[in-house]
Structure formats: C-alpha cells, structure tokens
Amino acid sequence: MQILIIYYICLNVLLWIAFALDKRKASKGRWRISEKWLLLCGVLGGALGGLAGIYLFRHKTRKYYFAITYIAAIIIHSYLLFVFL
C-alpha cells in the first residue's frame, strides 16, 4: 500500500513539473515535451498532477483531450483503488 501511494505521489509531482517545464520551453520557443508522454503519464496515474499543471500554468487548455483523458484516468484509477483495496 505504501509503495502504491509513493508511486502516485511521484508520478503526479513528475507530471506537474513536466507541465511547468513544457510551458517554460513553449514560451521560449525551445524543444518541447511530447504530448504522448504527457498523456501517458496521466493515464498511468499522474492525472491529478496533470490537471493541476494544466490549470495552474494555463498550458494545453485549448486541447480538450488532455482534460478529458486526465478526468477519465482519475475516475478509472479511483475505481480500481476502491475495488482492490
């Protein structure tokens, strides 16, 4: 159980930081973080950090599929945690 909690915390913090870095790189016209990687991290459990990054940094707000994917991932992960615990 502790390992699972640590996993979720680390992945959410990682994705939140990735959104901050991607926003910074976007504003400077530099190399960007792949959208596939951002979505994959959200699906694997970092969706809360991803949503926080979207709205806190106002990044990827026009790409509705990010919010939809993250909300769906939150619902699925919550359900799985409820069922297995």
Side-chain angles (χ1 to χ4, degrees), residues 14-54:
L14 175 70
L15 191 53
W16 184 80
I17 291 169
F19 266 92
L21 291 173
D22 194 49
K23 176 68 175 190
R24 186 173 181 196
K25 289 179 179 192
S27 66
K28 293 185 177 189
R30 293 187 177 170
W31 170 85
R32 306 278 303 278
I33 296 173
S34 166
E35 286 187 357
K36 289 179 185 178
W37 189 87
L38 293 172
L39 288 168
L40 179 63
C41 284
V43 169
L44 292 176
L48 286 174
L51 278 177
I54 287 172

